[in-house]
Amino acid sequence: MSDIIKIKDDYIDKLNTENNVDKVNNIKSELFGKNGIISNEFKKLGSISVEERKKLASDLNNIKDELQNKISIKIQEIETKEINLKLEKEKIDVTLPERDIEIGKIHPVSQVIDEISSIFSEIGFSVEEGPDIESEYNNFTALNTPDNHPARDMHDTFYLDNNKELLLRTHTSPVQVRTMLKGKPPFKIIAPGRTYRSDSDQTHAPMFHQVEGLHIDKNIHMGHLKGCLNYFIKEFFEVDKIKMRFRPSHFPFTEPSAEVDIGYEIKNGKIVIGEGDKWLEILGCGMVHPNVLKNVKVNPSKYQGYAFGIGIDRLGMLKYGINDLRAFFETDYRWLSHFGFDPLDVPSNYRGLSR
Ligand code: DAH
């Protein structure tokens, strides 16, 4: 018995100086594991006399309780110490200055697409999308542009295969075809997106943006087209009055076809839309050709309507005074921080980059 008391005292000493939970747990299994010191002592009880057993059992139980108590107190002590240490280290210094957040800017093209979409949504147009890689059929044939039509050259198309079956769409008009093929009239949609032509100068880039418009229903006529475009242009440029003229033109997919110019003047080196005697072409439009309707299984004697294609980048350049189209796509961060737009929800610690 004196042996076991000695062992207990040694272990109590050991536990007093221990600072590591794993090591305390090791001690626990040394004592109370399957072959632990205390466990083995209990096993011996079976081989001694009844009187001895009573006494020894009660002593052993006291020792066991004392050691187990010590162990759980110790573990708690170490854990509390660790938590306090951690809290101490993680203290937040509220006097430190806040960190700046740098947020990206919205590209003028994205901004203009949002503006256009919301203006047209207000008058009942929904927004459709189509892929940049198109079939020759959707881009040309379905739009009444036969094989030998000069428009195919005029567009300077980027073909993607030798058979000229796949191409980068040269306009957003194929979305008209896709929309009408998958649904039933009436149709009232716009389709903004990227378009591609082999062209590059101050006002032309090989990739640019258009928004297509299409309104097909019973009894739609050119008056609706004029009203719709007039409304859009006034809303977009935020002016009450607009000078607008329809010039006869030709597109294979519309009959009659027109190009639309808006009046402008230069005042103090700035372009003012809706006044003056200068004209600027901004879009092509017309009444959808019956052949196009036939190609997409819409009966032209029952349904007709108008379509238009507007150059998005050019509208953005005009509205926001940007004079080189190529800068739109050079991904120059300084340019974007100047011409870009702040997102709506700007956090209070956003210092931003001045426009
Ligand atoms: N797709 C024509 C172009 O890229 C623009 C256009 C003209 C679209 C007349 C139309 C339209 O939908 O009816 O030049």
Side-chain angles (χ1 to χ4, degrees), residues 16 73 108 148 154-155 160 179 186-187 245 248 283-284 288 292 317 321:
N16 274 333
I73 288 170
N148 56 356
M154 199 175 77
H155 278 134
L160 298 178
T179 306
F187 301 104
R245 74 176 179 197
L283 63 95
V288 177
V292 175
M317 288 169 78

Side-chain angles (χ1 to χ4, degrees), residues 193-209:
R194 292 191 197 96
T195 46
Y196 304 83
R197 287 178 209 174
S198 176
D199 219 351
S200 182
D201 60 34
Q202 194 170 345
T203 52
H204 296 90
M207 190 277 294
F208 57 104
H209 298 81

Side-chain angles (χ1 to χ4, degrees), residues 155 170-171 173 176 197 210 212-213 251 253-254 284-286 307-309:
H155 278 134
T170 59
H171 48 183
S173 305
Q176 286 187 28
R197 287 178 209 174
Q210 283 191 339
E212 190 72 15
F251 298 104
F253 30 89
T254 41
C285 61
F308 53 83

Side-chain angles (χ1 to χ4, degrees), residues 17-34:
T17 57
E18 199 46 80
N19 278 320
N20 182 307
V21 176
D22 290 343
K23 288 197 177 144
V24 175
N25 280 324
N26 286 344
I27 292 177
K28 192 176 174 184
S29 46
E30 265 172 49
L31 293 168
F32 302 106
K34 225 174 166 196

Side-chain angles (χ1 to χ4, degrees), residues 96-119:
L96 278 176
E98 62 193 341
R99 275 188 209 152
D100 285 357
I101 299 177
E102 252 190 39
I103 295 186
K105 292 263 187 161
I106 294 176
H107 194 284
V109 172
S110 307
Q111 170 77 17
V112 170
I113 289 178
D114 281 354
E115 291 175 18
I116 292 174
S117 304
S118 73
I119 294 169

